[in-house]
């Protein structure tokens, strides 16, 4: 059977065998011949064996060991040639770009670069390296602290921190689209929700480990408050996008002042959550009636001011007359006043008097600069009519005070 397998399955020595139908067919006469010539065959194996040009001419007919009368064999090399290559190029030609860069750096070039550094460059890079080292050290210490993982695992039960972080990141993404004028209604709402979450929900949750009471209330009050302002476009145009208008009416303080105001508002809310007592210690009942009254007054002032301003404005931001009705009878900038009152009411609800003074100072400084620019533009546009109105209504934000 070994000889049969060798002849039948050989890939290098084709043959045709014609066997009769005798039942006692044997290949014993070939065994000695194969054993005697095995040494010679192995020595001449690579010289004598060649691939066949026409393997289709090979056949096996009437083979008792085959399942079909004829079988086609395809010959191949017994040992295919190895695909090896040898390169005589030097190792310097195969260097990585980093090694080439390091090789091109010389002491003289490094010395020249060092002498070109100004004191401002040294301070800048020193600050960058210091912040990077401090951030790396703080991150490593935080990740290796078992309290960090226990803290996050427990607070997940009371306040979803990872959800808050996701909302914040998504809010930045939507704000970027809003600056490009591509944000949908849902994405604009996501911006507002992310901001209010990090103003009213995240700070108390951070310092208390859970949420209850006033933070939930003001989360929805903030939404409703700012809904009055943006709903004007929806009512007039069917969407929330600004219409083309004269850019002189886009009154805005310098960018650094706007960023400082945003940072101050965020810091004030975190200070209030830190300063105030634990949420479960804030008394309830009738002691909070004045807070509900302040909330109602804030919403009514904002709604009426926005309503009257829209009646006497074109494209929302372009006034067509001097508004002297509604809240404009008591203060010249009631929308800014209502915003300050909203923040103040939140800080009163959390029992944080020092943070209350801080947020009033931040809002007063910012809105005072913005109000000066608006009033100068109103005087330029309406002349004596606005001067007469300003002399009649002397207070900017707070009646009988400021």
């Amino acid at each position: 059977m070994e000889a049969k397998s060798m002849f039948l399955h050989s890939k290098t020595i084709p043959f045709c065998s014609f066997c009769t139908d005798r039942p006692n067919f044997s290949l014993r006469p070939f065994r000695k011949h194969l054993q005697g010539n095995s040494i010679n065959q192995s020595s001449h194996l690579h010289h004598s064996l060649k691939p066949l040009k026409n393997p289709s001419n090979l056949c096996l007919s009437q083979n008792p060991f085959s399942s079909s009368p004829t079988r086609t064999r395809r010959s191949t090399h017994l040992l295919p040639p190895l695909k090896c290559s040898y390169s005589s190029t030097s190792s310097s030609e195969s260097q990585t770009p980093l090694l080439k860069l390091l090789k091109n750096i010389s002491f003289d070039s490094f010395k020249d670069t060092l002498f070109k550094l100004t004191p401002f460059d040294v301070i800048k890079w020193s600050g960058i390296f210091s912040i990077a080292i401090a951030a790396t050290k703080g991150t490593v210490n935080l990740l290796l602290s078992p309290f960090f993982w226990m803290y996050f695992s427990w607070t997940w039960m009371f306040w979803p921190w990872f959800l808050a972080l996701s909302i914040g990141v998504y809010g930045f993404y939507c704000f970027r689209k809003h600056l490009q004028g591509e944000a949908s209604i849902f994405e604009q709402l996501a911006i507002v929700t992310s901001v209010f979450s990090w103003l009213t929900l995240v700070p108390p949750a951070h310092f208390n480990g859970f949420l209850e009471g006033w933070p939930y209330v003001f989360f929805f009050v903030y939404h409703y408050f700012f809904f009055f302002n943006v709903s004007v476009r929806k009512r007039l145009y069917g969407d929330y996008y600004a219409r083309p208008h004269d850019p002189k009416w886009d009154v805005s303080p310098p960018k650094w002042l706007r960023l400082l105001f945003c940072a101050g508002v965020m810091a004030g809310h975190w200070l209030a959550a830190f300063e105030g007592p634990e949420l479960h210690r804030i008394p309830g009942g009738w002691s909070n009636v004045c807070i509900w009254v302040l909330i109602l007054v804030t919403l009514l002032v904002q709604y009426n001011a926005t309503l009257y301003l829209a009646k006497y404005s074109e494209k929302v931001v372009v006034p067509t007359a001097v508004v002297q009705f509604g809240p404009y009878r008591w203060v010249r900038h009631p929308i800014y006043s209502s915003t300050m009152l909203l923040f103040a009411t939140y800080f009163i609800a959390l029992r944080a008097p020092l943070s209350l003074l801080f947020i009033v100072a931040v809002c007063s400084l910012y809105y005072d600069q913005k109000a000066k620019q608006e009033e100068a533009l109103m005087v330029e546009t309406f002349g004596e009519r606005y001067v007469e109105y300003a002399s009649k209504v002397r207070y900017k934000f707070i009646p009988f005070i400021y």
Side-chain angles (χ1 to χ4, degrees):
M1 295 299 294
E2 297 176 357
K4 297 175 184 178
S5 301
M6 179 178 295
F7 279 92
L8 291 176
H9 299 283
S10 173
K11 295 182 179 181
T12 59
I13 306 177
F15 66 93
C16 292
S17 62
F18 301 91
C19 303
T20 60
D21 296 335
R22 293 173 57 187
N24 296 326
F25 178 79
S26 175
L27 293 176
R28 287 182 181 178
F30 296 98
R31 289 183 180 178
K32 293 182 180 182
H33 176 70
L34 291 174
Q35 293 176 358
N37 294 335
S38 59
I39 299 176
N40 296 330
Q41 288 178 354
S42 60
S43 62
H44 299 284
L45 183 61
H46 296 287
H47 301 284
S48 61
L49 298 183
K50 297 182 180 179
L52 296 178
K53 297 182 178 178
N54 296 321
S56 60
N57 295 331
L58 303 180
C59 63
L60 285 176
S61 61
Q62 299 180 358
N63 188 348
F65 304 101
S66 176
S67 58
S68 61
T70 60
R71 179 176 298 178
T72 303
R73 293 288 183 179
R74 180 176 298 176
S75 63
T76 60
H77 285 287
L78 182 62
L79 295 176
L82 298 177
K83 297 181 180 180
C84 300
S85 63
Y86 175 74
S87 176
S88 60
T89 58
S90 60
S91 59
S92 61
E93 297 180 359
S94 60
Q95 290 178 346
T96 61
L98 179 60
L99 295 178
K100 291 182 180 179
L101 179 62
L102 295 176
K103 184 179 179 181
N104 294 330
I105 295 178
S106 62
F107 178 75
D108 294 335
S109 62
F110 176 75
K111 184 172 62 175
D112 294 339
T113 305
L114 190 62
F115 283 131
K116 290 179 181 179
L117 291 177
T118 63
F120 295 102
D121 295 333
V122 174
I123 294 173
K124 179 182 70 174
W125 287 108
S126 299
I128 292 175
F129 285 133
S130 300
I131 294 174
I133 293 173
T136 303
K137 182 179 178 182
T139 303
V140 171
N141 293 335
L142 185 66
L143 294 177
L144 296 179
S145 175
F147 177 76
F148 170 79
W149 300 106
M150 180 182 70
Y151 174 75
F152 267 78
S153 63
W154 277 101
T155 53
W156 176 261
M157 299 173 57
F158 301 102
W159 169 245
W161 281 97
F162 297 106
L163 178 60
L165 293 174
S166 301
I167 291 175
V169 173
Y170 184 67
F172 275 109
Y173 168 76
C174 295
F175 182 70
R176 175 177 162 274
K177 293 187 66 176
H178 176 70
L179 294 178
Q180 299 174 353
E182 301 175 355
S184 62
I185 297 178
F186 176 80
E187 290 171 337
Q188 295 186 48
L189 180 61
I191 297 172
V192 177
T193 301
S194 63
V195 172
F196 294 160
S197 297
W198 282 85
L199 287 179
T200 61
L201 298 181
V202 177
H206 173 72
F207 293 108
N208 293 271
F210 60 93
L211 282 174
E212 64 177 359
W214 286 117
Y216 283 123
V217 173
F218 278 91
F219 175 73
F220 294 103
V221 170
Y222 275 33
H223 276 81
Y224 192 57
F225 176 86
F226 287 97
F227 173 76
F228 294 145
N229 203 8
V230 299
S231 63
V232 175
R233 301 185 193 278
K234 179 68 175 178
R235 184 178 61 186
L236 296 179
Y237 310 125
D239 55 43
Y240 300 97
Y241 299 105
R243 287 331 189 246
H245 57 275
D246 191 346
K248 75 174 185 178
W249 292 104
D250 296 330
V251 177
S252 181
K255 187 176 182 179
W256 66 268
L257 186 59
R258 284 178 285 161
L259 294 175
L260 190 62
F261 170 72
C262 295
V265 171
M266 181 65 71
H269 282 75
W270 280 80
L271 289 175
F274 173 76
E275 179 189 0
E278 297 179 358
L279 294 177
H280 66 277
R281 294 184 177 180
I282 295 177
W286 290 101
S287 61
N288 291 318
V289 172
C290 63
I291 298 176
W292 286 107
V293 172
L294 288 175
I295 292 175
L296 294 177
V297 171
T298 301
L299 295 176
L300 290 176
V301 171
Q302 171 74 355
Y303 175 74
N304 283 280
T306 304
L307 182 63
Y308 281 105
L309 183 63
K311 287 182 178 179
Y312 294 91
S313 298
E314 180 185 358
K315 300 177 181 178
V316 179
V317 296
V318 180
T320 57
V322 179
V323 184
Q324 305 182 34
F325 306 98
Y328 290 92
R329 292 178 294 177
W330 298 292
V331 291
R332 299 199 296 267
H333 304 279
I335 294 179
Y336 300 155
S337 301
S338 60
T339 305
M340 295 170 61
L341 184 59
L342 176 68
F343 293 153
T345 305
Y346 175 73
F347 289 1
I348 293 173
L350 293 187
R351 281 30 175 202
L354 297 179
S355 302
L356 172 63
L357 296 177
F358 174 78
I359 197 66
V360 170
V362 169
C363 292
S364 299
L365 291 174
Y366 175 75
Y367 287 129
D368 184 69
Q369 295 295 322
K370 193 170 184 179
K372 288 180 179 179
Q373 295 179 352
E374 290 183 355
E375 290 181 351
L377 188 58
M378 293 292 288
V379 171
E380 179 185 349
T381 304
F382 299 103
E384 290 297 328
R385 283 182 292 174
Y386 190 82
V387 173
E388 181 182 356
Y389 167 74
S391 62
K392 185 187 304 184
V393 181
R394 297 181 298 168
Y395 304 102
K396 288 184 178 181
F397 306 120
I398 305 175
F400 309 108
I401 298 177
Y402 180 66

